[in-house]
Amino acid sequence: MNDSGAKRVVALVDMDCFYCQVEVQHNPSLTGKPVAVVQYNSWRGGGIIAVNYEARAKGVNRHMRGDDAVKACPDLNLVRVKELHGKADLSKYRTASQKVFEVLSEFSSCVQRASIDEAYVDLTNVVNHHISTKNNVITENDLPNTFVEGYSDDNSKEDKSVHLKSWLHDVYNNELQDDCFLRLTIGAMMVERLRKSIFEQTGFRCSAGIANNKILSKLACGLHKPNQQTLLPPSSVPHLFETIPIKKIKNLGGKLGERIRKEFNCEFMSDLAAIPLNDLQQKFNDKTCNFLHQISKGIDNEPVESRLIPKSIGSCKSFPTGLKVKEEIKQWLNTLMNDIVDKLKDDYEANKRRATLMTVSVRYLDKKTKLATSQCFEVTTYNHNKLLDTSFSSLCTMTENQKSLHWKNPISFLGVAIGRFVEINAKSSIDNYFNKGAAKEVKDINIQLTRQENSKTCSNSNSESDNSILIEQQLNSKTSAPLSNQSLPSLNYSDNKNNKTCVSDVQNLKSMFAKIKSSNHSFNNSSSTLQNVNSKKEIKKQYKLDMNSFFTKKLEIISPVKNQVNVKLKTVDQSSSASSVLFESSDEISSSKNVLNDNHERTSQPADSFFSRKLEIVSPTKHHNIDDSRIESVPTVQSSITEDTIQCAPKTLLCERCDKMIDIDIYDEHIDHHVAIELNNSLNVTNPVQPLNNRLLKSKPTLKKKNERGLKRKQNSKVSSSNPKKPCTSISSYFKPLLNP
DNA sequence: CATGCAAGCAAA
DNA sequence: TTTGCTTG
């Protein structure tokens, strides 16, 4: 579809100073008063993230600090955003926003979330349907809050009425316009209803723009605010563009817009429209030229995607003064991860999907390395500790000064984002999800041992059987058929009725791992990732080979079928199975709690330590209250090689598990010994994530998908939900025992 | 010390 | 895959 034929009807709905509205709704005594929302008010009154119109009238703007705003407007009501995990908690606004989007969805099946308070709505189909089935006579009474750009230049009411009449006259009498005007007008009428409906159902007011495409609707929306809407007919665009600065157009508000302004010495969109295509081509690539040329004429073919939920979920924090101390960095990463896991839980419940990619970003204070660097990883679990573990290792790799207690370059920014979601529906449980992934991967091993705690069924059991155990082991060879639950030789020890695991089965597993323990293969845990990069790679490589051969052998013991093994103890009902396997959280959290509660020395002792004090401020919530003892319980963040050992005794390494100095020549075996014992004790082993760029095996699906993506972009067609699902290709590069000290 | 945080997209 | 840009 393009703009020359049947034109679309696109609306952009923008909530007016949304955070303020939400706050006023929560505290109605603020109604009609100047309100601003701030986050973190400790430094100069905090940063303002929203200002209502009453406060704007008194000179408050978003770039002020809280203190300045109060100076400008002494009766300003500053609302501070609740904090969670030491970060501003915007979940209140997210929830409110979802309600708004639900209302939008009643009007069109094609609604695109553009931000927390903005959405595009493609009304083309609804309008067309209206035209073919309903009365098409629109009067000014149908458009009480509508301005038509080019017709209503003034805000006075009489004038507005006059100009609406003038517009409607054109709608029905200007034959040159085919039905484009009519369709936009019907669209505007629908948006009037839509906005009314939003107000009635949520209590929030919004503004809107109605035009033939996204960029114009967005531009139009800003022309009359708040609580109003603007129709921008294409015929009014050339005149309007004479007064619209280039930087006001979406995508031209930054460097590109500035470059255009300088290169061509032009200020307004009409100037841009006057530049010959040839001249543009001297300066910009084809794609940019095309975009600029089109948009200068008001043409924009970007489709409205049908998507109401975010494609990625992240958490980040800046540190203007810089973080230098390793423990502190670890703490903040922990905090971010808590934040993310919470969001992921909500997302999982709401959207029945799970993320498969995590990106860790860091920026340094020092200006030379101003740019953020990032690494991404395959994600196979939402378990906090495991994600934290991997992200911290990644951070260490990126900084390459992991050996010291103090980072060489203070960190000014930390961020973690999770995305590349895949759907989980009832038929495709997590089990299948893992199976599919394994099926695609050659010679891949995926082992997941998860201790689960089911409070309902376990309340009257002893602690041993409280921990139901779910084990999945998958081993594929090149020739193996795709795995499915049905085809797998599986040992199912579960008792559906009681949902209870026999102790004897646990014993069986223990003995199984006792066998593993007795192997003389080298078990490098991921502390190896904290060694220097080269040796890390070597070790991983070596280890991977070992593991492959090892399991090929050992699995024969477990199952008569070589290639496919699925051992499962305990049946959990599908839904709870999915989420608990994903998060593995209840057990993790409770075990962390136990660490804290059972060790009073530890909990009371660090009261004077910097970190525990900090955490009291940062994370009042109990299950997020992680002091340094919690950090110590995180398995692989810990380096086997401390700064001291490196500097003082390069030929020995400190084994942090027993605090002994171990000769480097026998270090692997020593660790092996610990690992085996811990395996046997904990029965808690996973391989949550692995740096993609370190993967030894490149999976074909990855490459294929890349190409498909490129194609999709070129075709400018729908994405996201229709994307081929990339199965989770879980690769064990290393074996991570989870320590429960 | 000082907008901060969140998210999407596309070039490199 | 990583980085940069853009927006709200």
Side-chain angles (χ1 to χ4, degrees):
Chain A
M1 179 184 299
N2 61 49
D3 271 28
S4 62
K7 290 184 179 179
R8 294 177 291 163
V9 179
V10 174
L12 183 275
V13 177
D14 186 346
M15 307 309 294
D16 300 324
C17 50
F18 188 49
Y19 294 180
C20 290
Q21 283 202 78
V22 174
E23 292 302 338
V24 171
Q25 189 171 77
H26 281 245
N27 180 3
S29 72
L30 296 174
T31 307
K33 298 176 181 171
V35 175
V37 178
V38 293
Q39 53 186 6
Y40 313 118
N41 69 353
S42 56
W43 184 70
R44 290 180 54 199
I48 294 181
I49 53 178
V51 183
N52 74 357
Y53 283 83
E54 289 86 344
R56 287 183 207 192
K58 302 197 173 182
V60 179
N61 68 54
R62 263 209 342 268
H63 298 292
M64 293 173 165
R65 302 301 300 188
D67 290 347
D68 304 330
V70 172
K71 274 178 202 163
C73 172
D75 59 337
L76 179 67
N77 295 273
L78 270 187
V79 181
R80 181 153 71 119
V81 179
K82 178 178 89 176
E83 284 182 31
L84 182 64
H85 306 154
K87 293 161 44 60
D89 177 19
L90 306 180
S91 55
K92 192 200 288 183
Y93 312 117
R94 246 176 254 126
T95 306
S97 147
Q98 278 165 14
K99 289 180 186 159
V100 172
F101 293 155
E102 281 167 21
V103 179
L104 294 181
S105 301
E106 294 171 5
F107 284 80
S108 169
S109 60
C110 191
V111 179
Q112 179 180 356
R113 177 196 147 112
S115 75
I116 196 166
D117 69 341
E118 277 187 16
Y120 291 97
V121 185
D122 192 322
L123 294 168
T124 311
N125 291 339
V126 226
V127 166
N128 288 344
H129 183 257
H130 185 281
I131 284 185
S132 59
T133 59
K134 304 259 169 66
N135 168 19
N136 291 321
V137 179
I138 312 286
T139 70
E140 54 184 291
N141 293 332
D142 294 317
L143 305 167
N145 286 297
T146 302
F147 291 83
V148 181
E149 179 57 30
Y151 290 77
S152 58
D153 297 326
D154 191 85
N155 283 0
S156 78
K157 284 202 171 176
E158 290 96 343
D159 205 43
K160 183 166 178 290
S161 174
V162 168
H163 285 111
L164 260 187
K165 283 188 171 116
S166 163
W167 161 252
L168 290 171
H169 178 269
D170 278 7
V171 167
Y172 292 106
N173 299 290
N174 189 340
E175 297 188 354
L176 291 177
Q177 294 300 331
D178 54 52
D179 64 349
C180 175
F181 279 17
L182 176 63
R183 283 152 25 88
L184 284 173
T185 307
I186 291 171
M189 182 182 71
M190 287 175 169
V191 173
E192 291 268 10
R193 295 175 188 170
L194 185 156
R195 291 176 45 246
K196 188 163 174 248
S197 187
I198 289 176
F199 182 71
E200 288 169 355
Q201 295 188 47
T202 70
F204 299 128
R205 298 178 205 278
C206 60
S207 302
I210 304 99
N212 291 130
N213 58 54
K214 284 164 83 172
I215 288 184
L216 289 185
S217 67
K218 168 95 182 140
L219 179 66
C221 180
L223 296 176
H224 296 95
K225 283 183 161 189
N227 200 25
Q228 295 169 94
Q229 61 182 64
T230 309
L231 193 166
L232 175 53
S235 55
S236 299
V237 168
H239 183 249
L240 175 66
F241 273 9
E242 287 174 17
T243 57
I244 297 293
I246 290 169
K247 63 168 179 279
K248 290 294 177 194
I249 298 294
K250 186 174 162 252
N251 290 330
L252 300 180
K255 299 198 171 179
L256 178 57
E258 182 59 18
R259 221 182 116 196
I260 294 165
R261 201 174 69 83
K262 285 194 170 162
E263 298 271 14
F264 298 101
N265 189 28
C266 61
E267 194 71 31
F268 298 103
M269 284 304 287
S270 54
D271 303 331
L272 179 62
I275 298 171
L277 189 56
N278 258 348
D279 291 5
L280 285 176
Q281 284 165 342
Q282 308 298 313
K283 305 282 183 183
F284 302 107
N285 66 35
D286 283 356
K287 194 166 185 181
T288 306
C289 280
N290 195 36
F291 169 73
L292 293 176
H293 189 244
Q294 300 263 66
I295 197 54
S296 72
K297 299 184 167 84
I299 297 168
D300 163 35
N301 291 320
E302 277 298 302
V304 179
E305 312 273 358
S306 185
R307 176 170 51 81
L308 290 169
I309 55 177
K311 286 178 160 180
S312 64
I313 290 173
S315 186
C316 60
K317 180 128 182 82
S318 63
F319 308 96
T321 59
L323 292 181
K324 302 164 199 72
V325 185
K326 186 175 178 180
E327 285 300 313
E328 203 177 356
I329 291 160
K330 217 185 274 177
Q331 283 289 0
W332 274 110
L333 201 56
N334 192 347
T335 296
L336 294 181
M337 206 55 80
N338 274 329
D339 188 29
I340 292 225
V341 170
D342 277 5
K343 288 175 183 172
L344 286 175
K345 280 178 186 169
D346 294 343
D347 181 77
Y348 177 79
E349 293 303 324
N351 304 319
K352 296 292 174 231
R353 57 179 186 166
R354 90 197 253 7
T356 65
L357 192 76
M358 171 168 75
T359 308
V360 179
S361 305
V362 60
R363 189 168 60 221
Y364 305 102
L365 199 57
D366 133 34
K367 282 184 182 173
K368 286 180 184 175
T369 53
K370 179 94 180 163
L371 312 171
T373 56
S374 63
Q375 264 187 358
C376 44
F377 303 84
E378 195 88 44
V379 170
T380 62
T381 173
Y382 281 2
N383 174 278
H384 168 99
N385 281 356
K386 286 152 196 165
L387 294 176
L388 174 63
D389 169 20
T390 307
S391 55
F392 189 74
S393 298
S394 159
L395 198 60
C396 291
T397 309
M398 285 192 276
T399 59
E400 287 190 10
N401 51 16
Q402 64 273 20
K403 288 167 194 166
S404 62
L405 289 170
H406 290 75
W407 248 248
K408 282 172 196 162
N409 298 328
I411 285 176
S412 66
F413 173 91
L414 270 180
V416 183
I418 282 195
R420 204 173 72 189
F421 286 95
V422 293
E423 276 176 31
I424 297 170
N425 52 43
K427 288 179 184 174
S428 162
S429 68
I430 290 288
D431 286 358
N432 284 331
Y433 177 74
F434 280 119
N435 286 340
K436 271 189 223 160
K440 294 277 163 109
E441 200 65 25
V442 175
K443 290 186 185 175
D444 186 17
I445 306 168
N446 174 24
I447 300 173
Q448 176 143 351
L449 303 184
T450 306
R451 288 170 46 169
Q452 295 182 317
E453 200 170 291
N454 187 326
S455 55
K456 284 180 194 168
T457 58
C458 296
S459 53
N460 51 6
S461 311
N462 67 37
S463 64
E464 179 73 60
S465 53
D466 271 357
N467 294 319
S468 2
I469 297 173
L470 180 84
I471 301 178
E472 279 192 33
Q473 295 194 4
Q474 294 152 5
L475 181 63
N476 274 347
S477 76
K478 263 183 182 172
T479 53
S480 69
L483 299 180
S484 73
N485 280 342
Q486 289 76 15
S487 68
L488 283 172
S490 67
L491 308 173
N492 199 328
Y493 290 84
S494 54
D495 179 339
N496 276 323
K497 284 179 186 171
N498 298 330
N499 223 8
K500 205 166 134 190
T501 305
C502 302
V503 175
S504 61
D505 299 328
V506 175
Q507 298 296 344
N508 285 343
L509 279 169
K510 285 190 174 178
S511 67
M512 175 179 115
F513 281 98
K515 290 171 186 167
I516 295 175
K517 173 188 80 174
S518 66
S519 154
N520 60 357
H521 287 270
S522 170
F523 281 72
N524 288 295
N525 70 15
S526 65
S527 349
S528 65
T529 60
L530 300 176
Q531 298 171 22
N532 75 60
V533 178
N534 288 337
S535 74
K536 180 186 74 179
K537 280 179 183 169
E538 285 304 310
I539 288 169
K540 274 193 177 180
K541 199 171 181 177
Q542 175 72 42
Y543 176 71
K544 181 154 185 114
L545 293 174
D546 287 344
M547 289 302 290
N548 273 316
S549 57
F550 174 76
F551 275 98
T552 307
K553 277 188 229 160
K554 289 298 167 188
L555 286 170
E556 288 175 4
I557 300 168
I558 302 163
S559 161
V561 180
K562 259 190 221 171
N563 299 336
Q564 303 171 3
V565 179
N566 190 21
V567 183
K568 213 180 199 179
L569 272 83
K570 183 195 177 204
T571 295
V572 245
D573 64 275
Q574 286 286 348
S575 57
S576 77
S577 160
S579 74
S580 41
V581 170
L582 199 55
F583 293 103
E584 304 171 34
S585 56
S586 53
D587 183 54
E588 290 297 323
I589 289 165
S590 70
S591 70
S592 297
K593 272 185 189 166
N594 288 341
V595 169
L596 300 182
N597 295 338
D598 295 349
N599 191 339
H600 292 290
E601 261 186 78
R602 262 191 167 158
T603 30
S604 52
Q605 171 200 46
D608 55 350
S609 95
F610 172 70
F611 291 115
S612 65
R613 266 185 289 129
K614 178 149 201 163
L615 269 164
E616 281 173 7
I617 300 163
V618 161
S619 314
T621 315
K622 179 146 193 186
H623 88 272
H624 294 118
N625 188 359
I626 299 146
D627 64 9
D628 50 359
S629 65
R630 163 75 179 269
I631 282 290
E632 280 169 19
S633 77
V634 174
T636 57
V637 197
Q638 313 235 323
S639 173
S640 311
I641 309 170
T642 67
E643 185 176 40
D644 291 344
T645 52
I646 291 286
Q647 288 169 352
C648 306
K651 296 204 171 173
T652 60
L653 301 175
L654 176 69
C655 173
E656 64 190 3
R657 298 170 192 219
C658 59
D659 273 341
K660 288 177 185 164
M661 301 305 294
I662 306 299
D663 189 310
I664 198 165
D665 293 334
I666 61 164
Y667 186 78
D668 277 355
E669 288 171 47
H670 178 86
I671 292 294
D672 193 359
H673 175 69
H674 280 296
V675 168
I677 290 171
E678 283 151 5
L679 254 181
N680 196 32
N681 290 340
S682 73
L683 282 174
N684 194 343
V685 186
T686 56
N687 66 320
V689 279
Q690 180 192 8
L692 292 179
N693 53 350
N694 286 342
R695 291 203 316 202
L696 297 171
L697 300 175
K698 288 275 180 186
S699 65
K700 283 177 183 175
T702 306
L703 297 174
K704 189 176 179 184
K705 174 162 185 185
K706 256 184 157 178
N707 292 337
E708 284 169 2
R709 267 189 168 177
L711 195 61
K712 286 207 169 214
R713 276 195 187 148
K714 276 183 195 168
Q715 291 171 344
N716 202 14
S717 64
K718 285 184 188 173
V719 285
S720 77
S721 61
S722 61
N723 269 353
K725 304 287 181 290
K726 188 193 172 194
C728 168
T729 52
S730 317
I731 305 173
S732 294
S733 68
Y734 40 71
F735 203 42
K736 290 181 186 172
L738 184 70
L739 309 186
N740 287 319

